[in-house]
Amino acid sequence: MALHFERSEFDARRDRLIIEMAEKKLDAILLFAQESMYWLTGYDTFGFCFFQCLVVKADGSMVLLTRSADLRQARQTSIIDNIVLWTDRNGANPAVDLRNLLNELDLLGARIGVEYDTHGLTAFNGRRLDEQLQTFGQIADASGIVGRLRLFKSPAEIAKAEKAANLSDDALDAALPLIKQGGDEALILAAMQGAIFAGGGDYPANEFIIGSGVDALLCRYKAGRRKLTKNDQLTLEWAGVFNHYHAPMMRTVLTGKVSKRHQELFDAARAALLAVEKAIMPGNSFGDVFDAHARTMEAHGLTKHRLNACGYSVGARFTPSWMDMPMFYQGNPEPIAPNMTLFAHMIIMDSDTETAMTLGRTYLTTESQPRPLSRHDLDLIVK
């Protein structure tokens, strides 16, 4: 098997889930999020773009319902022994297959949790699922149960995150010599992704962000490349990825002369990130972390140029995003606790002057102050 963890690790995760299910009085849970399946069993695929479901009963037994294309994938990459296939055919409704499977598992009339809040269950399939289950048993929204368990990382997972962070640093090291007047965004992007692949890493759950000039103010990937000018700004957001564990970083790198506005924005971004670092510790909440960011931005007169979130949990994620819950935003009551891997990003986009500045890295929470996982400092990078 192509497993990335010891069997005892998966057994411990299953036991944690069983405890949560018992507390919520669930006889079974239907998992549709790929990261939930991966965390619980090692199952590694992008086949979740089609209907598939991992059924977990209260006794810890598991059955995967999937397509024939993923049969060998599940056998090779997971600890799942019981795999049932639904057949691709005209008019197929895999929700019917799932209902029949649940009936065979003696779950008729049971209290069943459904992982609705995931890209692995489209609205179309969710409606078909509800149609089949509305009279089958007592259905409860179980979104976030596994997600919250994944928030707290085991020592084995922390080792994956540390390796991912090393790859993030390697990617930045590969990019920096290419960031100069005439530098090609295409070559910069290729060098960064190539460094991660060369180091044994994986594809990220979403595209790297790269943009220069006015496109440096964008917070998402877009198609199209340009070459850097003498005095330019290049925003990069990327993640080293190892066994699907992500360690994002974010930087705006300048070429040529540093403008007064760039320096002002960098000073604010650095001050905000340091304030956030002080807040990322037990006794505070995710909302408290955001407040530290917001207060600093306000003190620098940048409230209208900041975003309404400043980071989020990271770990093993799949397309379309490496962003995980919970996030740093106003009022989020989730407490900070040890053994979380959290990405904090300071993003300032001044559209009035078309000036961008970003600064971000991934941290491991501890009993006190968080530990940055990057070996790079927080100095402004000018080429």
Side-chain angles (χ1 to χ4, degrees):
M1 290 185 184
L3 294 177
H4 304 304
F5 295 96
E6 297 295 330
R7 180 61 187 253
S8 59
E9 177 90 2
F10 291 114
D11 290 343
R13 296 174 187 180
R14 178 204 59 209
D15 292 345
R16 290 172 62 195
L17 176 58
I18 290 173
I19 292 171
E20 287 295 313
M21 292 172 63
E23 289 182 354
K24 294 173 173 57
K25 297 180 171 57
L26 295 177
D27 298 304
I29 188 170
L30 309 184
L31 300 180
F32 290 92
Q34 183 58 44
E35 51 269 17
S36 295
M37 301 184 202
Y38 178 77
W39 179 82
L40 192 62
T41 72
Y43 179 39
D44 191 350
T45 182
F46 62 74
F48 63 92
C49 59
F50 297 96
F51 188 101
Q52 66 174 7
C53 177
L54 181 65
V55 183
V56 184
K57 295 183 67 176
D59 62 3
S61 61
M62 296 180 284
V63 184
L64 175 67
L65 176 67
T66 189
R67 299 167 65 243
S68 59
D70 278 300
L71 173 61
R72 292 160 189 83
Q73 197 86 7
R75 286 176 175 170
Q76 181 68 14
T77 67
S78 81
I79 61 171
I80 304 170
D81 294 321
N82 196 346
I83 304 168
V84 177
L85 303 180
W86 65 270
T87 304
D88 295 286
R89 62 191 181 278
N90 186 44
N93 184 353
V96 173
D97 296 84
L98 179 56
R99 178 192 168 105
N100 292 338
L101 173 60
L102 296 176
N103 191 53
E104 293 171 5
L105 294 173
D106 197 27
L107 289 170
L108 181 63
R111 178 171 166 80
I112 302 173
V114 179
E115 196 175 45
Y116 283 108
D117 188 13
T118 170
H119 299 286
L121 183 64
T122 64
F124 176 75
N125 282 329
R127 291 181 64 180
R128 295 205 292 183
L129 177 68
D130 288 342
E131 288 171 359
Q132 293 301 316
L133 297 185
Q134 60 183 344
T135 61
F136 185 86
Q138 183 182 355
I139 307 305
D141 188 344
S143 303
I145 290 180
V146 177
R148 192 166 193 283
L149 293 175
R150 293 191 303 104
L151 174 60
F152 304 95
K153 306 301 190 293
S154 69
E157 290 180 290
I158 291 171
K160 305 287 188 187
E162 290 172 335
K163 173 63 175 177
N166 286 336
L167 295 174
S168 293
D169 286 332
D170 291 345
L172 181 56
D173 288 340
L176 289 178
L178 304 176
I179 300 176
K180 56 188 176 182
Q181 181 179 0
D184 191 330
E185 287 182 359
L187 297 180
I188 295 168
L189 187 60
M192 297 181 77
Q193 188 65 82
I196 292 170
F197 285 150
D202 303 300
Y203 285 106
N206 59 256
E207 300 89 342
F208 289 178
I209 295 168
I210 181 168
S212 58
V214 68
D215 289 342
L217 280 73
L218 301 181
C219 294
R220 297 287 183 261
Y221 172 86
K222 58 172 283 294
R225 303 283 176 264
R226 68 183 288 271
K227 293 184 178 181
L228 303 178
T229 60
K230 181 178 181 180
N231 293 292
D232 215 329
Q233 54 184 355
L234 175 70
T235 292
L236 300 168
E237 184 180 24
W238 71 100
V241 190
F242 186 71
N243 295 160
H244 294 292
Y245 284 81
H246 292 69
M249 292 180 67
M250 195 169 194
R251 287 294 182 106
T252 298
V253 182
L254 306 180
T255 63
K257 183 180 179 181
V258 180
S259 70
K260 178 182 177 181
R261 189 56 171 164
H262 273 124
Q263 189 65 57
E264 291 173 348
L265 298 189
F266 173 77
D267 291 343
R270 191 174 188 278
L273 186 57
L274 293 176
V276 160
E277 283 188 14
K278 291 181 179 179
I280 300 178
M281 60 184 302
N284 290 332
S285 69
F286 276 66
D288 293 330
V289 174
F290 175 80
D291 291 344
H293 154 266
R295 284 194 301 269
T296 306
M297 293 297 182
E298 182 178 10
H300 286 79
L302 297 172
T303 299
K304 78 170 187 174
H305 301 302
R306 66 162 172 82
L307 302 186
N308 294 319
C310 67
Y312 41 82
S313 175
V314 290
R317 285 281 290 182
F318 289 75
T319 304
S321 175
W322 68 52
M323 292 185 288
D324 217 340
M325 291 295 173
M327 301 183 73
F328 298 133
Y329 54 67
Q330 184 177 11
N332 190 340
E334 180 69 38
I336 301 292
N339 301 322
M340 297 177 174
T341 48
L342 307 177
F343 174 48
H345 59 64
M346 307 299 105
I347 300 176
I348 309 172
M349 302 304 184
D350 182 355
S351 296
D352 297 336
T353 62
E354 295 186 343
T355 308
M357 186 53 61
T358 65
L359 187 62
R361 59 184 178 182
T362 299
Y363 297 86
L364 173 67
T365 59
T366 70
E367 297 288 349
S368 55
Q369 292 298 124
R371 175 165 66 89
L373 295 184
S374 172
R375 63 177 178 261
H376 283 272
D377 58 36
L378 297 179
D379 294 341
L380 178 61
I381 302 176
V382 185
K383 304 295 289 182

